[in-house]
Amino acid sequence: MTVKDYTGGLKFAIMVNSMEVQKWQYESIEAILKEGYANPVLIIMPDKTSLSRPSFWKRLVGYSWQTILFRKYYQHLFKPNVFKRKNINELLEKLPVITCKIRKKKVSEYFSEEDIALIQSYEPDFVLKFGFGILRGDILTCTPMGIWSFHHGDEQKYRGVPPAFWELFNRDFKSGAILQRLTEKLDSGVILRKGQFSTINHSWKANLEQSINLSKNWPADVCREIVCQNTFPDQVEGVSSNAPIYSVPGNTSFVYFLLKQFVNKLRFHFDEMLKVEIWQTGLVKARTADILSGLQYIIEDEDVEWVKSKNNNTYYADGFAVKISERILLLFEDYSYKNRKGHITAVWFSERNNIFSKPVTILSEPWHLSYPFILKHEGEIYCMPECKEHNSIELYKLDTQAMKLVPYRTMIEGIAAVDPTLIFHQNHWYLFFTSGNATNIELHIWHAEKLDDKFEPHVLNPVKSDISNSRPAGSLFYLDGKLYRPAQDASRTYGGRIIINEIKILSEDYFLEMAVSVLEPPALFSGLHNLSFAGDSMYFDCKKTGFSSANFMYQLKRKTGLIK
């Protein structure tokens, strides 16, 4: 790690082709300025007189006619919102602007020594690249932290162009993005941030916008990490990738792609109308050691005591359990497709008689409720259900006599948190959740010394961006002195299975976890996304796909414009 002191903040330069940048690039710069950990000192633009343009006839003869369909589609019909233009003068008023003469060699661009020296005179710590082409030479190392550049694709699978396209063409369930410090080798830079997202297979536009919107704040996140931890990776070599280098699709391939998109779009609307997820919860004899034994733990249907809803217009999901005396209290989301809303329901389970009590609603709010995380602390039972639509994290206390959840305190205001989960670890409280704009992807941590204290965000937030291993999937637990965190794998389907992670480091400044086990859904089920332990029992949920008349009528009205 470098020894330079960055605690006073960073300085950075911005590479653009013009003062009109794409909307997402504008917002990426804006996020850095809002965070306040780095200040811009310079705008770098190409001297376009140094870039010779071939004559009309050379361009006509050399035109890639075999890719004309894609090129014309991209030029005239492909209009993602993130590609709209905004002038960065609004953000960077009176900032110095220099134009640099570029020497081209094949597909690479080189800066002159004079221009490099001029850039260095402004003393930027790094350069954020939103312009120019493939850079080579001394420009890559002219600042202490190099040149930062986005690649909207998983560099281990997809190098080249177009961004977020070939994942759909190849039916890949996951798409990716990286923020890298550039090196001489194409798409093999030093990874500063990396994320994995579920591919939106019916829309290239939506898939690209997702990849961009979920990564555009990464430069701001990295700046915060550098300043707060006063470290930056100083390695010269980047990642190694043998992935194929893709280029724009030929005419035949692009026609095939458009047909595939049309079929996927029809299937998407068909599924919205006729298919819904039907979740149910169940209790099985199992301990934490069983799912971490090194052997794959399998839930057998005949071993499960099921808690099911009455019909396909409702379901039970997100089950949490706590043992009280000789009984187990089970809390879960009780969702109605007719009302498009969930509330929290509870049942008691008698281990002696294997009998469930009658379900009782213990919390209903004007907003949707789910994921009733439950914990025992200092003799009290608390519940922290997901209140994403309320834009806050609320903590309730359970009145076991009246069987009601009573408001206790607001943990965090003004934040749309998904599946909030608490753990008391090494005399500190840690609150895990995924963000509302990236429900299955971005894992965030907040922390406080006491449960009643103000919670503060972790300096590494988001601490993880991975569709297959971020979103909480139930209570954290200890085994043999080690801390484990269940996480959802939604890479193939929402709530497909659970990954058990061992948390190696958890503090106010650091976080590291490693996947150690996988829990698959029972036979004949297509998903499993929550678990909780109470005594010798594991409470979990799993799903099947079915038809709901209430959902059909809702989707029919929505698609015909009768409701918004």
Side-chain angles (χ1 to χ4, degrees), residues 332 334 343-347 357-363 402-404:
F332 50 86
D334 188 344
H343 55 263
I344 305 304
T345 294
V347 300
S357 68
K358 183 180 179 180
V360 176
T361 299
I362 62 171
L363 181 63
M403 282 307 294
K404 291 290 182 183

Side-chain angles (χ1 to χ4, degrees), residues 466-530:
D466 188 347
I467 185 67
S468 64
N469 197 0
S470 287
R471 184 169 175 171
S475 303
L476 286 78
F477 58 89
Y478 288 94
L479 180 64
D480 297 331
K482 297 178 180 179
L483 179 60
Y484 295 91
R485 188 184 74 89
Q488 295 185 37
D489 180 355
S491 56
R492 287 182 174 265
T493 179
Y494 166 64
R497 60 180 187 170
I498 292 177
I499 308 296
I500 307 296
N501 299 283
E502 180 187 342
I503 294 182
K504 300 289 189 179
I505 304 173
L506 176 58
S507 70
E508 298 174 55
D509 300 311
Y510 296 95
F511 175 73
L512 177 65
E513 66 179 10
M514 295 181 63
V516 294
S517 180
V518 177
L519 188 61
E520 300 283 355
L524 305 180
F525 289 88
S526 60
L528 169 74
H529 80 345
N530 204 75

Side-chain angles (χ1 to χ4, degrees), residues 24-32 128 130 150 216-217 219:
W24 74 271
Q25 296 168 341
Y26 180 100
E27 292 171 349
S28 184
I29 299 169
E30 186 178 40
I32 299 176
L128 187 58
F130 288 136
F150 284 92
K216 65 186 180 185
N217 289 344

Side-chain angles (χ1 to χ4, degrees), residues 25-71:
Q25 296 168 341
Y26 180 100
E27 292 171 349
S28 184
I29 299 169
E30 186 178 40
I32 299 176
L33 302 184
K34 284 183 177 180
E35 284 273 2
Y37 293 104
N39 293 306
V41 294
L42 178 67
I43 297 174
I44 305 168
M45 296 176 60
D47 181 351
K48 295 182 179 179
T49 61
S50 65
L51 300 173
S52 59
R53 181 176 172 84
S55 67
F56 171 77
W57 293 110
K58 282 187 176 181
R59 282 185 280 125
L60 184 66
V61 172
Y63 191 81
S64 181
W65 297 102
Q66 66 271 24
T67 60
I68 189 173
L69 291 181
F70 172 84
R71 294 179 184 277

Side-chain angles (χ1 to χ4, degrees), residues 230-294:
N230 199 34
T231 58
F232 183 76
D234 57 4
Q235 66 260 40
V236 178
E237 295 297 325
V239 295
S240 177
S241 175
N242 295 318
I245 299 177
Y246 287 87
S247 58
V248 297
N251 295 331
T252 303
S253 295
F254 189 60
V255 170
Y256 173 71
F257 172 79
L258 292 177
L259 289 173
K260 185 186 294 187
Q261 288 283 277
F262 178 72
V263 171
N264 287 345
K265 182 77 76 173
L266 287 179
R267 184 181 294 118
F268 170 76
H269 289 293
F270 174 84
D271 289 347
E272 269 198 328
M273 294 279 290
L274 302 180
K275 294 182 180 180
V276 294
E277 294 179 345
I278 307 298
W279 291 87
Q280 63 189 60
T281 64
L283 200 65
V284 66
K285 289 292 183 183
R287 299 178 69 90
T288 55
D290 295 326
I291 64 174
L292 292 170
S293 64

Side-chain angles (χ1 to χ4, degrees), residues 318 320 333 342-344 363 365 367-374 383-396 405 415-421 432-436 439-440 471-472 488 494 529-530:
D318 289 345
F320 284 88
E333 172 195 353
H343 55 263
I344 305 304
L363 181 63
E365 298 281 15
W367 53 87
H368 170 70
L369 295 167
S370 62
Y371 198 83
F373 172 81
I374 192 169
C383 180
M384 187 174 58
E386 179 194 304
C387 303
K388 183 185 72 170
E389 291 182 3
H390 191 51
N391 212 37
S392 68
I393 300 178
E394 303 290 337
L395 186 65
Y396 297 79
L405 287 174
I415 192 165
V418 177
D419 296 349
T421 307
F432 292 76
F433 59 86
T434 50
S435 60
T439 56
N440 296 317
R471 184 169 175 171
Q488 295 185 37
Y494 166 64
H529 80 345
N530 204 75

